[in-house]
Amino acid sequence: MSVRSPTAPQPQFPSGAAYAEALQHTQLCFRHPELKGARPDLTKLGLPRAISGAFASVFSLTSATSGQRYAVKCFTRYVPDQERRYQAISARLARLDRAELSQPWNLGFEYLPDAISVGQQRYPVLKMEWIEAVTLSSWLDDNHADRFAVDRLADRFAALTRDLSQHEIAHGDLQHGNLLVAGDDTLRLVDYDGMYVPDLAGLGGTERGHRNYQSPLRGNDDFGVELDRFSAWVIFMSLKAIATDPTLWNRLHQPSGEFLLLTEEDFSSPGGSTGLQTLLAHPDQLVSGLADRVRSLAFQPLELLPPLSDAIPKQRTAAPAAATASAGPSAAVSGSAGGLPGWMTGHVPSPAEPTPTAIVSTSPDGFRGRTALDVATALLWPLLLAMAVVLLVAGLPMPTAVAGAPVAAALLLTAFARSRRVERAQARAALAGLTQQLGRLDEPVKAAEKLRKEKEKFEAAESERSAAHPKEQDKLTARYHAELKEAEQRKVRKQREIDKKIGKLAEDLSKALLKALTDKQNAYVRDRLGRRLIADSPPHGIGPTLAARLAAVGIRSAADFTGYRTVQNNSFNSTGAVLVLSNGRLVNVTGIGETKAIGLDLWRRDVIASAVARQPKALGTAERRQIEQGITRRRAQLTDQRRALEPDTETLRMQARKKLEDGRSRLTQKHTLAGQEAARQRQEFSQRAVTLKQNSAIHESLSASVEAARTSRRRLAYAHYVRFIYVGR
């Protein structure tokens, strides 16, 4: 049983029994071509056989079209972002090159949203590749005495965890029920519900894994590449212990127990654990060493646990097996240059060696070594001063400037001699060089503040980008479901329209038959009217002359006119008549007054009545069959249109699915590239921080050197030079 993190009330899913009932009619409950009409494995009662867990029921179905056998997982509990998780996991596993894996442990699967109909609702399923294999615990029941086979399986399990670690994948629930042993004794990994792949980083876990295989410190929020580390050590230790001492299986394992050798209580309370104490006291040092390793790992945070995939190769490098065992697991994973544990090598970047900047102050500390010019200056100084004194004492009348000339000459001479000293040029060059170096460096406090602000701005933007990624994926999913809904509504709307037309076909047949009969009767009456010529059987009062006049205006038979209209003759103040032709035109025939017009109309009416009395009362068989065949063709056309709605709708679903997959692929690529750029930017920030630290030390050293150079330069002042030319220092 797996323990999952608590969630708020979520949508209800059918029970395993409800799925089993629906799977009795796979032709109706499935739309997928491989699953539609598939044959489920049945129990003795004739019901679909289910392998039920806490969150799903798995059924074995054999496709009626391909004969392929599948495991179909029907979910009984709501899982947040389920479709998104499976899409990311499927995409990551699809990129694995099976030729590069230690064994074909990953099974193909396909997440099918809205795949199965239960009652009036549709639910997702997971269509998985079927594998003929047994669980790890069942395999150990039959093979635990074969020490070589168990040891080989332990190595294959270690190789499997190495595959996962190298591809930054974590299963999330490594345990005996999710590790299957195939006929060739290679492993298969099933149940990817809680799997972690890089594209799901930051999304959060959906479960905590089987309690008898998980660290007591694993929490609801743990979700990363480190998920499998503790359970991997537990399983590897158990297999190695059984391979070393097969009797441990019967001593520590309970028949049908939900563990291998140790349980949750052994990890949380190792002091009172009989099973763990048995392993710790085992005479074989490999067994006791691995048990001690698991005991110590039980109280370390997941992110600090050594991956089994890193530790095992180091354990294997020891040439003699006895030496490896005596060293114990701790020796296999600890101790490396620089004080880092061995398993952390390659995972923590080595600190960058600072690039030392030699700051050499060449500023001289005072004058050294008197030159001839210095000696001459020292000799002339007193003479010039004595001359000035003599001139003042003599009291000779002269300008003051002349009296002070010797003093000015002494000062100028000293200044000239001082300016010729190489120490002054060296001091100026040293101070200029140091000042220039200092000017090229940023002020440490300002540079640190600038770096801090840039990092804060970057992290804020990165947090916003990371938060936007799942929202963009959710938008794609929402648009996909909206398109599915629209396609379904369109199909239902079209079905209703077609059903309505089909329902009216009986009424259309009746109308068509009635219209055909009416048209036939009207044609018969028109024919009879056309055959009654006025000249052959004239009405009363119509002689040959009037018949000829009527013929002249187009009235030869009863079909050529439809009646008459009375008109007022103004010249005679009497009532006349005009005849109405069959095309509606009015004609005036000389000699046809109101009386004769009435006679013509009555004659026509008698002809009509006689024709109506003799008109057909029903359609012929051929005529009726032709109309019925037309309705039948119309029914077939509508039925074909209705039947075509489902493939058309499925095409729309596939187009929506393609848009979703393309959109997700673009988002994933964009997210991956952005993540790589963010990692590069963070690395750049780290390098800048190291450089800033180095520059801060250099800045401090340069500042001290500049101050020292200024102090040295002050020792080359005028007064110091005067003292130097007489004292020599």
Side-chain angles (χ1 to χ4, degrees), residues 340-351:
L340 284 176
W343 60 268
M344 291 181 69
T345 304
H347 294 270
V348 177
S350 301

Side-chain angles (χ1 to χ4, degrees), residues 502-651:
I502 292 175
K504 288 183 60 180
L505 287 178
E507 180 183 349
D508 293 345
L509 176 61
S510 299
K511 290 181 178 180
L513 291 173
L514 179 59
K515 183 179 183 302
L517 179 58
T518 302
D519 291 345
K520 184 176 182 180
Q521 290 173 338
N522 291 338
Y524 176 82
V525 171
R526 285 194 302 271
D527 180 69
R528 299 308 298 175
L529 290 176
R531 291 174 182 272
R532 290 294 299 273
L533 299 177
I534 297 175
D536 293 342
S537 56
H540 178 72
I542 303 297
T545 301
L546 288 178
R549 291 176 181 172
L550 288 170
V553 297
I555 301 175
R556 295 179 179 83
S557 68
D560 296 333
F561 71 102
T562 59
Y564 72 96
R565 292 183 186 176
T566 59
V567 295
Q568 192 70 30
N569 294 325
N570 295 330
S571 58
F572 301 100
N573 194 22
S574 61
T575 301
V578 293
L579 297 177
V580 182
L581 298 181
S582 57
N583 61 9
R585 189 165 62 89
L586 303 178
V587 295
N588 184 11
V589 181
T590 304
I592 300 297
E594 182 178 15
T595 301
K596 286 184 172 56
I598 292 173
L600 274 172
D601 188 55
L602 291 174
W603 171 78
R604 179 180 175 277
R605 290 178 185 274
D606 288 341
V607 174
I608 291 174
S610 176
V612 169
R614 292 179 175 83
Q615 70 183 2
K617 299 298 187 288
L619 294 173
T621 302
E623 295 170 322
R624 184 179 182 90
R625 184 182 298 113
Q626 183 179 6
I627 295 172
E628 289 175 343
Q629 287 176 349
I631 295 296
T632 301
R633 285 194 298 272
R634 178 60 177 157
R635 184 185 299 276
Q637 292 172 353
L638 291 172
T639 302
D640 289 343
Q641 291 176 12
R642 194 183 196 284
R643 192 178 296 116
L645 288 176
E646 182 58 38
D648 291 345
T649 304
E650 184 61 28
T651 299

Side-chain angles (χ1 to χ4, degrees), residues 264-279:
E264 177 187 27
E265 290 75 16
D266 296 316
F267 308 138
S268 57
S269 303
S273 166
T274 302
L276 185 56
Q277 293 302 322
T278 299
L279 296 175

Side-chain angles (χ1 to χ4, degrees), residues 288-311:
S288 60
L290 286 171
D292 183 62
R293 188 62 172 166
V294 169
R295 178 180 61 176
S296 66
L297 296 179
F299 297 98
Q300 297 181 29
L302 264 64
E303 62 271 15
L304 297 182
L305 299 184
L308 185 66
S309 56
D310 286 356

Side-chain angles (χ1 to χ4, degrees), residues 406-706:
V407 176
L411 294 174
L412 289 174
L413 176 62
T414 306
F416 173 75
R418 174 172 168 267
S419 68
R420 304 298 292 176
R421 293 293 304 187
V422 69
E423 290 88 350
R424 294 193 70 239
Q426 291 175 346
R428 283 196 302 270
L431 182 59
L434 291 171
T435 304
Q436 187 178 20
Q437 290 185 56
L438 188 62
R440 286 197 296 262
L441 293 179
D442 292 332
E443 201 281 322
V445 175
K446 292 182 179 179
E449 180 64 16
K450 179 182 178 182
L451 178 60
R452 183 189 66 79
K453 289 181 178 179
E454 287 183 14
K455 288 178 66 177
E456 286 182 354
K457 184 178 179 180
F458 165 77
E459 292 299 343
E462 186 63 15
S463 298
E464 184 177 349
R465 182 193 65 80
S466 299
H469 179 64
K471 293 180 181 178
E472 291 174 346
Q473 289 186 318
D474 291 342
K475 287 181 181 178
L476 285 177
T477 303
R479 189 180 305 126
Y480 165 66
H481 287 296
E483 290 177 357
L484 289 183
K485 183 178 179 181
E486 182 180 351
E488 191 67 23
Q489 290 175 341
R490 174 185 174 276
K491 182 187 74 172
V492 172
R493 184 172 62 254
K494 293 288 186 182
Q495 285 176 339
R496 289 174 179 172
E497 292 174 359
I498 293 174
D499 290 344
K500 186 177 180 180
K501 292 178 181 179
I502 292 175
K504 288 183 60 180
L505 287 178
E507 180 183 349
D508 293 345
L509 176 61
S510 299
K511 290 181 178 180
L513 291 173
L514 179 59
K515 183 179 183 302
L517 179 58
T518 302
D519 291 345
K520 184 176 182 180
Q521 290 173 338
N522 291 338
Y524 176 82
V525 171
R526 285 194 302 271
D527 180 69
R528 299 308 298 175
L529 290 176
R531 291 174 182 272
R532 290 294 299 273
L533 299 177
I534 297 175
D536 293 342
S537 56
H540 178 72
I542 303 297
T545 301
L546 288 178
R549 291 176 181 172
L550 288 170
V553 297
I555 301 175
R556 295 179 179 83
S557 68
D560 296 333
F561 71 102
T562 59
Y564 72 96
R565 292 183 186 176
T566 59
V567 295
Q568 192 70 30
N569 294 325
N570 295 330
S571 58
F572 301 100
N573 194 22
S574 61
T575 301
V578 293
L579 297 177
V580 182
L581 298 181
S582 57
N583 61 9
R585 189 165 62 89
L586 303 178
V587 295
N588 184 11
V589 181
T590 304
I592 300 297
E594 182 178 15
T595 301
K596 286 184 172 56
I598 292 173
L600 274 172
D601 188 55
L602 291 174
W603 171 78
R604 179 180 175 277
R605 290 178 185 274
D606 288 341
V607 174
I608 291 174
S610 176
V612 169
R614 292 179 175 83
Q615 70 183 2
K617 299 298 187 288
L619 294 173
T621 302
E623 295 170 322
R624 184 179 182 90
R625 184 182 298 113
Q626 183 179 6
I627 295 172
E628 289 175 343
Q629 287 176 349
I631 295 296
T632 301
R633 285 194 298 272
R634 178 60 177 157
R635 184 185 299 276
Q637 292 172 353
L638 291 172
T639 302
D640 289 343
Q641 291 176 12
R642 194 183 196 284
R643 192 178 296 116
L645 288 176
E646 182 58 38
D648 291 345
T649 304
E650 184 61 28
T651 299
L652 292 176
R653 295 191 194 103
M654 292 175 64
Q655 291 173 351
R657 186 74 182 177
K658 181 68 166 55
K659 286 171 59 179
L660 175 66
E661 291 172 353
D662 291 346
R664 283 180 170 170
S665 178
R666 288 193 298 271
L667 278 181
T668 300
Q669 183 179 16
K670 177 182 175 183
H671 184 63
T672 301
L673 292 176
Q676 293 172 352
E677 176 60 23
R680 187 201 63 78
Q681 185 65 48
R682 289 191 176 96
Q683 185 177 12
E684 181 182 328
F685 281 138
S686 298
Q687 292 172 348
R688 286 177 59 187
V690 172
T691 303
L692 181 62
K693 186 175 181 180
Q694 295 172 351
N695 288 347
S696 178
I698 295 172
H699 190 281
E700 182 179 354
S701 178
L702 278 174
S703 298
S705 297
V706 168

